[in-house]
Amino acid sequence: MKALKAFIVPSVIGILALDNEGKIIEKSLFPRNPIEIAERLERINSGETIYELEALVKRLEKKGYEIFVFEDLSLARNIHERLGVSYEVESPSSVARFFRKNIEEYAVKTQFLKSTSELPRLIYDVSIEISRRSVRKAAERRDFLIVQAVETLDDLDKTLNLFANRIREWYGLHFPELSRLINNHETYARLVHDLGERKFFSEENLRKTSLPKEKINKVARAARASMGADLRDNDIDKIRTLCEQYMNLLAARRKIESYLKEMMKEEAPNVSAITGSILGAKLIALAGGLENLAKMPSSTIQLLGAEKALFRSLKTGTRPPKHGVLFQHVLVHGSKRFLRGKISRALAGKIAIAARTDIFSGEYIGDRLKKDLLDKIEEIKKKSLEQKTPKKKRRKRRR
């Protein structure tokens, strides 16, 4: 005797079980609420089993049905794992296609709707709700927060550089020698904020700061012999206010950088292990998200950030770039010029593997990838050394 077979068809009106001829065997109708319908359809489309589906299959089992035909493989597997039923996958299903062509009649026949004219409005409302959910889910992706954080860091760096240059130029009118003696922008701004006028740059006051002894003596001597103009107290106060704002921005940058490192360890630990948090975040931002980075070939990853140079090369026929933002990696910019292209290629290959692992499996293999990368770079350096070493020419024997 042939096993009874039921076709399981999810729809906007509910989940229906149909026979080979498209007749309704059993049904689990949804509430007539677009929000609830959208929520159930979203879960079904992601392969999740819902209460209505499980209840429908159990009722069919009691009626003697043994094989259940689905269009979605993941949904079929999930219902098999939960209820242990036999399944088949037919996509597209002829029965399901027939149902969708005549869904208005099925909606009235099941008493879900009073007339066929009500269905288009219901489908429209459900579609809008599904779209709204998709947009909300996309906006909630954590890698998009990484993109915003790293772009904020870039903006802060530009602002901090502008502030630092302005402080040096402004205070340089009063104490021009200090700019030559203090290279670090933060140290410079802190000294100006804490001490103010150059007459307070005495050895006694400077010892209270973090400056080394040799630097203290030089700064104190320069302050005594400075050729800068004398400024009023009001002028110095405004410069000190600017220094205070600079240090506040610097503190905000450090907090965002710390937040970004935590986010990268959480969302892209493998990429972070190879590139570091900041460079990894920049790659994600340039790619438009972690998933986009994972889908890119390593050759594209290698040139991220060098698009202008690449298009210029294609247009003018000049030499193409060997790397983009990957130049910031210590293994690339710390290597000899003629090796940077090969090292960038090896690095991009490992980043591609790391991104795919982060987005699709979540397994941590960062340490192994980093070791493989270092071994590969050593091999590249060894080969280049062998190629550069001239071979000894054999002397021809005289006969």
Side-chain angles (χ1 to χ4, degrees), residues 138-149:
E140 288 172 355
R141 279 174 51 184
R142 303 288 288 173
D143 57 336
F144 285 174
L145 297 177
I146 290 172
V147 172
Q148 293 300 320

Side-chain angles (χ1 to χ4, degrees), residues 297-313:
S298 60
S299 56
T300 304
I301 294 172
Q302 183 181 346
L303 297 180
L304 280 174
E307 291 80 9
K308 287 183 181 178
L310 178 62
F311 291 131
R312 184 169 60 248
S313 167

